[in-house]
Each structure stands twice: as structure tokens, then as C-alpha cells.
Amino acid sequence: MSTTTSQNPAAERTTPERKEPTYLFTEKYVADKSELARKFLDTRERLNANVDNANNFLVKRFYNIDHNTYLEGALSAKTKELMGLVASACLRCDDCIFYHAIQAYRLGVPRAEQEEALNVALVVGGSIVVPHLRRVYELLEEMYE
């Protein structure tokens, strides 16, 4: 009896190359385009400086895992940012929602795709997601106008 598959399926899997995504827009461009994005990015930078100054090993490890999760790989960075957007909306974290919406914009994700991803969040998360949709739609309006 012959088989066409290997006895070791793990050996047949290839790990896709992981690389930094190519952004179409800088954070400065987004901040200049959207007042909401500017306020968010400025606050995030200021608060991250406080965390960085603590020089906490575990926080640095977590940040590294987070960074590496969103690299290009088997899934595109765009897809991962939309997944992050959906999860953040379901978890009702406005900071995370803004972050992923901005990153998706920077990667060139069209507004219609962000809105469709937010529809998934609404169905999964329920009506409690609506207040967060209101805020992110305001951000999208500024970024995509």
C-alpha cells in the first residue's frame, strides 16, 4: 500500500516568511489628516514613554509578541489588522479599536473593508458594540475624507 503523504505531516508544512508590512501612509500623515487620530497617537506615544521608562522585562516581551503577531506571514498584515479591529470592538476597547483602524488605514485597507469588519464585530459582540462604532465611524470619516 503506497501513500502520497509523508509519515511526518509537520515536515511538509512550511513556515511563511515573516516581514514588516509596507505602510502606504506614515503616522504623521494620518495625524495631519485626522484630529481624532492625532490626539490618539499623541496620547499613545506619551503613555508608552511612561511604560518604556519602567524598563519592565515582561512588558517588553509582551510588546515583542504583539509586534510579531502583526507582521506579514501566512495572513497579510491587512487581514490581521482587520481581525484586531473586530476583536477590539467585541472587547469594547476604544484605544485598541482606534489603533487597528489607523493601522489598517496606513496599510491601504479601504473604508468599505473596515466597515464590513465592524459589521462582523457588531454581530459577534451585539448591541453593546454600537457606542464604539459611533466613535470609530467618526475616526473613519476624518481619515477617509
Side-chain angles (χ1 to χ4, degrees):
M1 177 172 170
S2 71
T3 61
T4 59
T5 60
S6 167
Q7 294 297 323
N8 184 0
E12 293 180 4
R13 280 187 250 147
T14 60
T15 303
E17 180 184 352
R18 301 181 60 74
K19 62 182 182 177
E20 292 290 334
T22 302
Y23 292 98
L24 300 179
F25 306 110
T26 64
E27 283 188 357
K28 182 181 179 340
Y29 174 85
V30 178
D32 289 344
K33 189 167 180 59
S34 164
E35 180 67 16
L36 288 170
R38 184 193 60 73
K39 287 179 182 176
F40 169 78
L41 291 167
D42 287 350
T43 300
R44 184 174 184 273
E45 182 177 357
R46 179 177 52 79
L47 296 176
N48 272 341
N50 293 333
V51 174
D52 291 344
N53 287 338
N55 200 26
N56 184 300
F57 176 74
L58 291 176
V59 172
K60 287 181 180 184
R61 295 289 294 264
F62 182 82
Y63 279 13
N64 183 270
I65 291 169
D66 179 73
H67 172 80
N68 281 283
T69 297
Y70 291 93
L71 294 175
E72 295 283 349
L75 293 174
S76 71
K78 290 178 182 182
T79 298
K80 291 177 183 184
E81 289 300 342
L82 291 173
M83 292 170 70
L85 180 62
V86 170
S88 298
C90 289
L91 292 170
R92 303 181 310 272
C93 175
D94 281 339
D95 277 10
C96 300
I97 294 167
F98 269 45
Y99 177 79
H100 291 293
I102 290 168
Q103 295 303 97
Y105 176 83
R106 291 182 62 214
L107 288 166
V109 173
R111 180 177 179 162
E113 289 183 24
Q114 292 215 41
E115 290 178 0
E116 197 162 314
L118 289 164
N119 289 346
V120 172
L122 179 59
V123 169
V124 172
S127 62
I128 193 68
V129 171
V130 171
H132 305 277
L133 289 180
R134 292 180 185 129
R135 290 185 280 277
V136 73
Y137 265 72
E138 185 179 30
L139 172 67
L140 296 177
E141 186 65 31
E142 287 185 6
M143 290 192 303
Y144 286 97
E145 69 176 280

